Structure formats: structure tokens, C-alpha cells
Amino acid sequence: MSTQLYEVVAKGRVGSAATDCLDIDGVMKGKENVPIVNSEISKIMDAFGKSRFESIYLRVGDVEVNLKKTDPVSSSLADRTGFTPKNSLDSQHVKTVSIKSPLMGLIRLAPASNEPPFVEVGATVDPDKVVALVDVLGTLSEVTALYKGRITKILCEADQLVEFQQDLFEIEISD
Amino acid sequence: MNKISRVLVANRGEIAVRIIQACQSLGLETVAVVSNADRNSMAAHMADRSICIGPPSATESYLKIDTLVAAALGSGCDAIHPGYGFRAESPELADVARSHGVAFVGPQAETMRRMANKLQAREEAKELGIPLLPGSELMTNNDEAFEVANAIGWPLLIKAAAGGGGKGMKLVFAPEQLRDALSAAGTEALAAFGDGSLYLERFVPKAHHVEVQILGDSHGNVVHLGERDCSVQRRYQKLIEESPATILSPRLREELREAALVIGRNLSYESAGTVEFLVDPEAQKFYFLEVNARIQVEHPVTELVTGIDLVQAQLRIASGEPLWFSQEDVTFTGHAIECRINAEDPNNNFYPSPGRITKWNPPVGEGIRLDSHCFEGYVVPPFYDSMIGKLIVHDQDRTQTMDRLQRALDDFEVEGITTTMPFLNSLISNPDFQSGDISTSWLENLLKAGALN
């Protein structure tokens, strides 16, 4: 049997505890010295946001994540967790979707290390705008925005391994 | 050679689970690569980390060499275990991995290259004085084929030089079938291996398929771990395997094992490998077929009779460790039989039966081992081969092992998908199998005669 991978303490109303745990389990495959990256933390937040837990404490190696919902039924969850529900419509009917990685590889957010990034938060992009490159043993493939809109969040860390279909950017679609 | 601490498992299904277990026993960390269809697989949950590498199609995921090596580098792995199938015998994967400082858990790329070409393997065996079936060189034209075929004698087998898994293999009974069979085999081989090269080999109707497990290290030591009889085959795919082979006289057994060692030493073989032979039990003769430069599906029967964990051995050898036992230390206890359980419908031409497993209640008890990645609620995806597990049983002798296997199959409850378990049980209870009076054609003949319905 493997050693304990990570520590999770979750409290709150448990509707479907097994599913909630499984969601976090599916996100978190880091052992203590497998580094946890920002995109994984946002996935954990995502899972926590969707769960009916009220608080969660998570430790992976040096990284500790402490999340709490002060008002579990409030709609301002995003303020406290940094989590924005995807594909949700707010009052202005703005649709937020994510740009996913078409390949597994190292994500390059700039054309070269000494150059500015392809996009930054707030940038407006067209569907064919290159927003990142995926590097597979030196072979670079372009990631395009696929939507016309505004980049609202960068969900990945430069030069980290990203999975196939991992969320890379959040984009607010404009018609 | 570097010490290994984190292993990328470049496979799926039961063998991915098997590799993860072996790593855990040795205190090694694991990273499972999964296709989109395998995100919730047992391997993904068991591994310390899983990485989704692509869509379900194996050519876009498990077969992509650069992606596999990039996944290893990106997750800090220092070794890749390829399992069997997919890229298990790929010298390219071994080369790319090693050029990036990642160990390949398997033989040297050069060994895989030499043994991938079956004609070269035959040539090397011939030079070592190992008996071969009468056969041909590479076939270049049909006229030549007729001449050579008549010299070899009928019936004969057409085989693909780049072959494996029965693809490009055709049994030809008479000269008038040769032209069509050559053309069909060439097309099949070209499609499967990108190489349509063929050769001919005498067909022995009452032969047994007997293979010897070898294990070699990077210090020049090669040992054998006895043999397996894998004669129960359908379309050249093994269904039931056992160890030891009961048809061999003590002398023939010694010669066979020695021949495998000669071949292994000539290759300076590293890791686990199998030397395959055809045995004519009446004449008590054996003939070299090929070398499989990988861990094989049927390796557990050898593990049960020798007590040696072959996957752990592969990992230790890949980290540069010399073999920790000698040939004299290898002892054989009892008899083991494995049957491969597939999600297929034997009553409907063995069509795959993917879907959700609604009940999964495997047998437990002394001498019963199940290597499987399935569980209740698991959905057998339609994208890969249909094997859902291997039931391996060990007891004191062949008769007791067969009894134990039948009880285990009876006790195994699976619902939601159709499996080959009742079919396997009928094979094991067949009087021919019980007496050992079988051959590589036995099952095909039974199926043709409709004797199992």
C-alpha cells in the first residue's frame, strides 16, 4: 500500500460525501514531494466550491490550502475561494469558459523566456490568437483562444506540465 | 545505471496495476499516464500521480513516444515501465527515454531491434545451433515461394518478418492456396507493422507452444525460470497458460531450458524475456520460434511456481542491481494455470462486450490470484483490448490446480458485461485438456466442430 498522499480535513453538511471526496481525490494526485501547482489548487477550489463542505484543510508537502465558506448558501462564493463557476451566466449574461490544452506537455506562456507573454489577464483576444505553446520534447504546438473575448484568469503556471484538456485560461466570451 | 525512485507507468489495464503494485513493494513512487477514457481507472487512483496524456485512441495517447517521455520528465520520473503491448518492445521509446536520462525498464534497444525481425532472430538461433523448423528466407516473389514451399512441405505457415500477435500469419494446406494467402498475409502485415515482408515455416499439426522465461541483468548474468505451456490458442492468441509443461521428458526440458539460456547469453539479455519454442511431443523435439523482449501477459504462472516476482525483478535490474540469486537457487513448486478473462461473447463470435460492471465478486482463497484492474461500477471502455483480468491458480499438481481453477471460475460473479468465464470453464473441464492431449490447433478445431456449444 502506498503511504498517505496528502492530508484533507473537510467539515460541513455532507450531502454526497463520497462524491465530494472523490472529486478532490481525482484532482489531487500529488505525493508529498510531487510539487503541487497553481492549476491544481484551482481545481481543488473548483471541487470544493461545488461540494457541500463548509471548510477544507489540505496539505501537500510545503503547500497548505485552507478554504472556508462563511455562508454556504450565499452566491458570493467566488469572493472567498477565488473560484468562479464555469459556464455560468451572471446578470449581464456574460459567459465564461476555459481554454483547454490540446496536448499534454510543458506549457509555454511566452514565445521565449526573455519575451513578453502571449496574453495577460484583461487582454481581448480573437479565436485564432495564439495564447500559449505546448512543448513536447522540444516540438511546439500552438494553443489558440478558440473564442473571441477577454482573458479573465490564467489557470496554469509557465513551464509546468499540463495535462491533455487541462484548463489553461478563463475567458469571458463576447458576442 | 542510476538508482530508480519514481516510475512512469506507460500502460493501462491490469498490467498498469501490476507495475504499480511492484513499485510500491519496492518503495518506488509511481506516475500513471492515462488516456481521457482511463481518467478514473484503478491505475490512476493507485498511482501517486496520474497524468492525462491524450484522447482515448491509443495512437494519440499510449503509443506516443515523445508524449510518454515528456510526461516522465515533467513529473520527475527516472524510469519508464512499458508493460506489454503498446510500446513495450519499442527500441525508439528506449532510445528517446535513455537519451533524456530516463531508464527504460526492459531490454536494451539493440536487443529489441535484433529480435523484432523474426528472420534475423531465426538466423541468430541457427548460428547458435538451436533447432529450427524447416523454413525460408525472406520471400521476394511468388515463383520462388512455390519452389521453397514444396521443399518445406505442406501444410505450412506464412509468417510476417516483423510479426507478432498472429497478424500476417496464414496457414496454407495446399499449393493452390499459396498465392492468395501470400497476398492476404502481406497486406495484413503491412497494415499492422508497416512492413509486408513474409517468410514460410513448416506447420506442425500436433505441436505444443512452450516458452522459457529468462531473466538477465546488466552484469552478464542470465538465468531461466522454467517454462510455460501456452498451447490453448484462438487466432494465435493465448487463452490458457500453465507451468510447468507436462509434455516434456526430463531430458527435453533440460535441453529446452539450456537453449533459451544460450540465446539469452548471446544477446547479453537484460530484464525479463521469453524464448518461444514449438514442441513436437511425439518426436520429443523442439524448434525455436522467437524471442519476446518484454514482460508477458502470462508471467504470473512462473511467479507462482518459482516465488520470484518478475516485475520487481525488472525494476531492480533496470536500476543496475546484479541478479540476487543463481540458477541453482531457482526452485519449482507445484503447478500453476492462468486463464485470461475477456469481456467477450463466445456465443456471438467473441464480439467484445464493453460496458459497466454492475457486480464484481472475485473468488478468494489459498492459491488463487487475480490480476485485474476491474471493480464494481467500472466501465470497460470499448477502445482497448477486451481482457478484464487474469485468474491464476496454484496447487500441488496439475489435477489439483485444474480443480481449484474450476471452483474459482464458478465462484467468480461478474454482472453487467458478458465474459468468457463459462467458456474457459468448459475448456478446462474438456477431457482433452484434462489429460493434456492438446495442441496449438486444438481449440480452433473444437470451435470449428461446434463441440463447445
Side-chain angles (χ1 to χ4, degrees), chain B residues 130-202:
Chain B
I130 310 292
L132 293 173
L133 283 166
S136 72
E137 304 294 314
L138 191 67
M139 288 290 102
T140 47
N141 65 66
N142 281 352
D143 293 338
E144 181 198 39
F146 277 104
E147 222 170 276
V148 178
N150 281 324
I152 293 169
W154 308 86
L156 53 79
L157 272 175
I158 302 171
K159 289 186 164 184
K167 294 205 176 69
M169 230 156 117
K170 298 281 168 204
L171 178 57
V172 190
F173 288 93
E176 59 270 21
Q177 301 170 334
L178 186 63
R179 189 179 295 270
D180 286 351
L182 277 170
S183 145
T187 309
E188 218 174 281
L190 190 64
F193 315 111
D195 176 0
S197 313
L198 303 171
Y199 65 101
L200 306 180
E201 198 177 80
R202 163 86 60 80

Side-chain angles (χ1 to χ4, degrees), chain B residues 3 7 9 37 64 155 173 193 212 283 295 308 331 361 402 413:
Chain B
K3 189 103 182 72
V7 178
V9 182
K64 284 179 85 177
F173 288 93
F193 315 111
V212 179
I295 188 80
I308 293 166
T331 54
N361 192 11
M402 289 188 293
E413 294 177 291

Side-chain angles (χ1 to χ4, degrees), chain B residues 280-424:
Chain B
D280 183 341
E282 278 171 34
Q284 283 288 300
K285 282 187 170 161
F286 69 87
Y287 309 96
F288 169 79
L289 287 178
E290 60 182 66
V291 173
N292 293 144
R294 60 167 187 271
I295 188 80
Q296 282 191 291
V297 177
E298 60 270 27
H299 75 273
V301 291
T302 298
E303 295 184 324
L304 290 185
V305 295
T306 62
I308 293 166
D309 188 307
L310 283 163
V311 183
Q312 285 187 33
Q314 284 189 299
L315 292 158
R316 290 171 69 176
I317 289 165
S319 69
E321 198 175 328
L323 275 180
W324 46 99
F325 56 87
S326 69
Q327 188 64 65
E328 292 68 41
D329 297 330
V330 181
T331 54
F332 302 94
T333 309
H335 197 93
I337 306 179
E338 169 184 281
C339 56
R340 304 185 187 189
I341 301 168
N342 293 337
E344 289 172 0
D345 186 358
N347 295 321
N348 189 15
N349 202 27
F350 292 89
Y351 280 133
S353 167
R356 185 178 295 277
I357 297 172
T358 54
K359 185 171 192 177
W360 181 262
N361 192 11
V364 284
E366 196 195 338
I368 296 173
R369 166 173 162 180
L370 178 71
D371 282 17
S372 174
H373 57 293
C374 294
F375 49 89
E376 209 158 279
Y378 176 68
V379 177
V380 179
F383 310 107
Y384 313 103
D385 81 75
S386 57
M387 193 169 77
I388 54 169
K390 307 180 310 205
L391 186 60
I392 316 109
V393 159
H394 186 221
D395 211 329
Q396 287 172 19
D397 58 29
R398 188 169 189 266
T399 307
Q400 291 181 55
T401 306
M402 289 188 293
D403 287 351
R404 182 169 275 181
L405 179 55
Q406 286 193 280
R407 286 196 304 275
L409 281 165
D410 282 337
D411 290 347
F412 201 159
E413 294 177 291
V414 179
E415 288 174 13
I417 55 171
T418 305
T419 79
T420 51
M421 279 198 289
F423 169 74
L424 291 164

